[in-house]
Amino acid sequence: MQEIIEEIMAYEPFTEQEAADKKLFLDKLQFQENLLTRENTDYHFSSSAWVINPTYDKVLMVYHNIYQSYSWTGGHADGCADLLFVAKKELEEETGIKDYQLIHEGLFAFDILPVQEHYKKGQLIKEYYHINTAYLFMAKEDQMLHIKEDENSDVKWIDVAELDQAVTEEEMRPYYHKMMEKARLLKK
């Protein structure tokens, strides 16, 4: 857990919201118990992959069954302190791709994301927050994709200009726009 705290401490926020989330984590949340597991029912770590194509005009997304929206890949840490590993594992499980590369060292984004109350496998899950780390990857579009049917019903490359139409979870749109803006700054 100490490595995660150090990585977050070293992270340079890209937005005011990220700065506020970093401050909240460092001031208060890091002292909570079980942040790496769902045993903490208020806050726990998740990790996501933001995957762009080599021309920076498409992003790889999955259609999330619970939220009925396209989203980045990712998942709960479930006890694993290597959040980059979690992002890679979820990327491979949810899309089937194997040929990709990390194109930004360390955290690419850090957010505390609200997760709305929902049902999973017939059980009500109360509202909680993901302490989310995100990493930036690049992959070619010609790879075979597969759907992780217990969580998603589609996986595809989405044109960045069509993100707002594909992402029906309006509260996530600003995060995805931030990711693309930041990725394009790296390209220059």
Side-chain angles (χ1 to χ4, degrees):
M1 182 71 178
Q2 187 57 39
E3 286 180 27
I4 296 169
I5 294 169
E6 289 172 11
E7 189 171 23
I8 293 168
M9 287 175 68
Y11 179 71
E12 291 293 327
F14 186 66
T15 65
E16 288 181 20
Q17 184 61 56
E18 279 190 337
D21 288 348
K22 177 181 175 179
K23 182 174 179 3
L24 174 63
F25 177 80
L26 293 175
D27 289 352
K28 296 181 181 170
L29 296 183
Q30 71 170 315
F31 303 108
Q32 287 202 14
E33 293 183 12
N34 300 318
L35 289 176
L36 288 172
T37 70
R38 294 181 229 197
E39 289 176 31
N40 186 322
T41 58
D42 295 319
Y43 293 91
H44 49 261
F45 274 101
S46 61
S47 193
S48 300
W50 189 251
V51 185
I52 57 173
N53 65 349
T55 53
Y56 289 69
D57 61 354
K58 290 186 181 173
V59 62
L60 185 60
M61 300 187 97
V62 296
Y63 191 84
H64 200 288
N65 292 339
I66 290 175
Y67 300 109
Q68 296 292 296
S69 178
Y70 281 94
S71 68
W72 53 12
T73 63
H76 294 96
D78 286 335
C80 181
D82 184 345
L83 298 176
L84 174 58
F85 171 81
V86 172
K88 289 177 178 180
K89 178 179 77 71
E90 294 291 331
L91 171 60
E92 291 179 18
E93 285 178 0
E94 293 183 29
T95 68
I97 71 168
K98 304 281 188 229
D99 184 18
Y100 57 89
Q101 56 271 358
L102 183 70
I103 61 170
H104 180 270
E105 277 304 312
L107 283 181
F108 186 65
F110 178 75
D111 300 287
I112 297 176
L113 303 170
V115 177
Q116 303 303 318
E117 179 178 272
H118 62 277
Y119 283 90
K120 186 169 186 174
K121 298 179 182 173
Q123 185 174 11
L124 178 65
I125 308 295
K126 75 175 187 90
E127 181 180 54
Y128 64 94
Y129 293 87
H130 280 158
I131 304 168
N132 194 67
T133 58
Y135 299 88
L136 180 64
F137 299 95
M138 183 176 287
K140 292 183 179 174
E141 297 172 60
D142 60 357
Q143 297 181 62
M144 180 75 74
L145 302 175
H146 87 261
I147 298 166
K148 187 173 190 282
E149 293 180 3
D150 63 326
E151 293 180 6
N152 308 309
S153 54
D154 194 19
V155 57
K156 70 179 181 178
W157 288 94
I158 296 176
D159 191 299
V160 172
E162 298 172 7
L163 263 178
D164 285 350
Q165 291 77 35
V167 176
T168 58
E169 238 184 323
E170 290 183 38
E171 62 276 8
M172 290 304 295
R173 290 177 187 161
Y175 297 102
Y176 299 154
H177 287 282
K178 170 188 73 174
M179 301 293 282
M180 279 314 304
E181 180 182 350
K182 193 171 179 183
R184 286 181 172 145
L185 287 173
L186 290 177
K187 183 181 177 186
K188 294 178 180 181

